[in-house]
Each structure stands twice: as structure tokens, then as C-alpha cells.
Amino acid sequence: MTPELNGIPVSRRQALAGLGAASLAGALAACGGGANAGKTTITYLSWENEEVARPLIDAFETANPDIAIDFSYSAPTAGYFQTLQTRIAGNQQPTVHRINPETKEKLIGEGLVADLTSEDFMGAIADANLRAYESDGKIYGASFGAWAAGVVYNRDLLNRNGADGVPQTWEEFLGLCKRLKTAGVTPYRESVQDIPSMFQAFLGAGYHLAGDELGEKKIFTGQSTFSREWPEPMRQWYRLYEEEIVGPESVSLTGTQLKEDFMAGNLAMFVTGPWDLTDIAASGLDWGISPMPAAPGGEPFATGAPDPGFAIAAAAQGEELEAARRFIAFLASGDGLGLAHEHIGTLVNTTDYTIEVVPEYQALYDDYLKTSKIYLPMNYWDHASDALQLEGIALCQQLVQGQLTVEQVAAGMDTKLASL
């Protein structure tokens, strides 16, 4: 499941304004004037706004008085990469910027980012985060956090119907949903304004059990197809509709509607992640969160993904390159990770640092996020992931409305990929 990180696009004029500011700052630094005289200046295009990013910048500059950071910001996700592309086109690529699955093909394929594989700060990064920014055995992004989503449940409603939590097998989960429905309780709802989270988790669980680190990347190397990978886990997820546990209204439901319905006590279970937990905790409900149940032949799993990684421009050389390395090393340090969690909310999943999370989320954090038992298909799609995601959503919506079969959805994805 994709968490609700709605992109806030910026206009071309705004992007160019950012480029102008960066150019001016670079010119001033080159002149050796101002408070940064005598320092090595690196440019940093931040994913977070200055209010939350500033504590990390200030802490780094205090610890490294010979380095200055020329900070700029663009909102994720579409606007950020529009700004980055504009700067790259203008030969003003920031020294340090973010890389994510949607952009790694271009950034790595065109040789725009540095190989970070051998850097010391990569040593504690989780497997899922390494895989997210790997190409041909080299790692190009340093990612120190992740998110994991699971099934949030109303403990009172489940207890009254004979369950003390979310069942860990799919058959038991479907059985509980039917008991709740018979008792007059809305058992489970989901939004199909994204590719359904339960299906995504079924995919990830299957690959994990098989020891298959390529996942759906195989589709993009010609080793497999959507028609081969998707039907079985999708058939299991689609039983929610065949067995009339949920209905086609899922097409129009939003995550916010589901959260509000749950907090009002009208819904027993739905899928969400860290972005909703503060509101749910404040609602006064007795609640919990669990991994997705295991489909037949699978295991419980979580939908989730590594955070965007930090990348260094391949053009950086000499003192600029060394300063960029020191900046990312700081972000990977205990001080940096602590500040990232405190001010940005990063759910740190390196092997050498642990954060505190709300008690209800602890098991999902320890047993799934930190052990890389998380999966998001788009992280494995090597190109055109935005277009394919939109196609996948449209096809799933037609499926739950009875207009397509599972096999037609998978074949539709192959057709779309062939057209891109």
C-alpha cells in the first residue's frame, strides 16, 4: 500500500525560481564572500521542508564547521523530481538529493549518481533498503527508514465475536469477517484508489518464502510477465468480493473515510500505516495493528517500502565529494538518525539504531519493518512505474465492479507495459 504522501507539484516557474536561487547561492559561494567564506559548500535539495530539516542541517554544520550546506526544498513527490530534472537539465544538479524507485532508472542509467556501495555508512542499512537502490550489484542510494502498513483492528469488536486479534491465515480472516457481518458489524473495508494492499502483501510474502529477491523485477528483465506473477495472489484477495465481504463501493472510498469510519466505531478492520496511527491513538478506541494474514502457501507479511535514499551527484569531485560523504555519514549516525526520527518521523530500520514507537505498532516495527518483511510492487518496477500504477488501479477497479476477470487484469498490465 502506498502511504498517503500526496505529491504537491510545483510549476515550471517555481522550479526555475529554485534553480535561480541555487545558481545565485553557488555564485556567491564561488566569490568567497559571506558567512561561508573558506568553507566547502555543498548543495542539498531536501525532501522535507526547512522547518523539519533545519535541525539536522544545523547539527551537521555545528559538527563540521568547515562545511556549509546550501539548502533548498521541493515538495514530494512529483514536484520534487520535476525540480531535480530541471536542475539536472540546467547543469545544476544538487550535490546531495533524493533517489526513489521511480527515478532510479534515469539517475543510475544516465550515470548521474555516485556508487555508494563501499561507503562505511552503508553497513547498517536493511536488506530491503539496499535492494531498492541496487543496480548491477552496486548501491546508489542510502536509505535509513521505511514504512510498514498492516491491518488495524477494533479490539472490542473482535473480542465480542470470538477473536483476540487479526487471524494470521487467510481462511481464518475470511471466516472472522463473515462472523462479524452476521453479527451486524462491518468487518473490513478497503480503498481501491490504489492497488489493494492485501494483494501487494500476498505478492511480497510469496517472493520472500521463495527467497526470490528479484520479485516483480523479473517482469522487466523479460524473465516473467504480470500474467504469470499476479493471478494466484490476486485470486485470493478477490475472494473478499466473491464471498461478498466487501463490495464495489471500494472504488470510491478514500483512506480518510476508512479512518474516520474506524475511529467512529463503525468498522472492525482496515489497512493503514504510521501516517494514521496518531489520530487513531487519540480516538480513545482499544485498537491494535497486525500484519496481513497469510494467503494459502504464504506467510503473514506487511505492505511497505524503504524511504527515498540519499544520493550524491556523480559530478561531485574533490572537497565537494568528501563533504557530501560526511553529510550522509552524519545522517547515518546515531545523532542524525535520532534527529530524523524526532523531527521528520523517520521509522529508522538500520541494524545499529532503534527508535520507540507506539506500543500497538511495536510488533509490526520489530518483526516486519526491521526485518525487511515488507513489499511494495512499484519498488520492483524498473521503468514507467507511475503509468503502470495508474493502469493497475484502473484495472483493479474494473475487477471489483465485475467488468474484468483476474486474468484480464494481469494481461492488461502486460499490454500496458508493452506499450510504454
Side-chain angles (χ1 to χ4, degrees):
M1 171 178 190
T2 302
E4 293 184 354
L5 295 174
N6 296 322
I8 305 174
V10 297
S11 67
R12 182 176 177 79
R13 181 180 60 79
Q14 288 172 309
L16 290 172
L19 172 59
S23 300
L24 178 60
L28 289 173
C31 290
N36 295 334
K39 298 182 179 181
T40 299
T41 297
I42 58 173
T43 51
Y44 170 44
L45 179 60
S46 175
W47 187 266
E48 291 82 22
N49 66 38
E50 187 158 10
E51 179 181 1
V52 295
R54 178 53 60 187
L56 281 90
I57 304 296
D58 289 347
F60 171 74
E61 290 182 331
T62 298
N64 297 270
D66 57 328
I67 299 174
I69 292 183
D70 175 13
F71 175 92
S72 60
Y73 162 71
S74 187
T77 54
Y80 186 93
F81 291 108
Q82 179 184 352
T83 301
L84 180 60
Q85 287 185 340
T86 301
R87 295 192 185 182
I88 289 172
N91 199 29
Q92 294 288 338
Q93 182 179 358
T95 316
V96 176
H97 58 77
R98 293 298 187 98
I99 180 173
N100 75 347
E102 288 85 353
T103 57
K104 75 173 190 179
E105 180 192 19
K106 174 181 174 60
L107 293 172
I108 298 171
E110 297 183 9
L112 294 168
V113 288
D115 174 11
L116 305 180
T117 313
S118 301
E119 301 292 343
D120 289 342
F121 52 72
M122 302 296 286
I125 291 180
D127 289 344
N129 296 51
L130 292 174
R131 286 198 299 272
Y133 304 108
E134 181 271 340
S135 179
D136 293 331
K138 298 178 181 178
I139 315 296
Y140 294 88
S143 169
F144 307 116
W147 60 271
V151 182
V152 170
Y153 60 96
N154 181 318
R155 201 181 302 275
D156 290 338
L157 289 178
L158 264 59
N159 285 167
R160 275 189 258 148
N161 289 276
D164 57 6
V166 176
Q168 294 299 283
T169 72
W170 190 230
E171 294 296 339
E172 292 173 331
F173 179 83
L174 296 175
L176 172 61
C177 286
K178 291 171 185 174
R179 289 206 306 277
L180 288 164
K181 191 171 181 178
T182 299
V185 174
T186 302
Y188 172 80
R189 300 180 91 186
E190 64 181 9
S191 170
V192 189
Q193 295 193 1
D194 199 346
I195 296 173
S197 299
M198 201 71 81
F199 163 62
Q200 296 181 38
F202 289 170
L203 278 169
Y207 293 129
H208 186 264
L209 270 179
D212 183 350
E213 294 188 354
L214 286 177
E216 287 162 280
K217 190 175 290 186
K218 295 192 298 293
I219 297 169
F220 296 80
T221 61
Q223 298 168 271
S224 190
T225 63
F226 284 105
S227 293
R228 204 178 296 167
E229 303 295 321
W230 274 28
E232 181 50 34
M234 181 165 280
R235 270 192 285 272
Q236 290 298 329
W237 157 73
Y238 187 58
R239 290 176 63 189
L240 288 167
Y241 297 85
E242 288 182 322
E243 299 179 23
E244 300 182 341
I245 292 168
V246 296
E249 71 277 4
S250 299
V251 168
S252 59
L253 289 173
T254 66
T256 299
Q257 287 175 302
L258 295 172
K259 179 180 69 174
E260 291 175 349
D261 210 18
F262 180 82
M263 293 193 301
N266 299 324
L267 174 62
M269 297 179 283
F270 80 110
V271 173
T272 192
W275 50 93
D276 277 339
L277 301 188
T278 300
D279 289 343
I280 292 172
S283 71
L285 283 178
D286 187 4
W287 65 283
I289 185 168
S290 169
M292 312 290 184
E299 62 178 352
F301 220 69
T303 310
D307 291 346
F310 292 90
I312 298 176
Q317 300 292 326
E319 292 181 351
E320 181 188 13
L321 175 59
E322 180 56 26
R325 287 171 170 157
R326 285 165 57 184
F327 179 46
I328 298 181
F330 173 79
L331 297 176
S333 69
D335 288 343
L337 294 173
L339 288 168
H341 175 59
E342 178 183 356
H343 295 280
I344 300 171
T346 301
L347 294 176
V348 178
N349 65 338
T350 61
T351 57
D352 60 353
Y353 194 85
T354 297
I355 59 169
E356 288 188 14
V357 297
V358 294
E360 291 86 353
Y361 194 71
Q362 191 70 55
L364 201 64
Y365 175 69
D366 289 340
D367 300 336
Y368 291 86
L369 190 152
K370 292 208 73 169
T371 61
S372 296
K373 292 179 73 172
I374 54 176
Y375 189 80
L376 193 73
M378 290 68 78
N379 277 11
Y380 295 79
W381 297 354
D382 271 0
H383 64 272
S385 60
D386 287 351
L388 282 168
Q389 184 176 6
L390 291 173
E391 184 72 4
I393 295 167
L395 291 167
C396 287
Q397 290 181 344
Q398 292 174 67
L399 173 63
V400 304
Q401 291 175 315
Q403 298 167 1
L404 293 177
T405 65
V406 164
E407 289 73 18
Q408 288 172 326
V409 170
M413 291 296 287
D414 285 325
T415 300
K416 182 66 177 180
L417 178 58
S419 73
L420 296 172

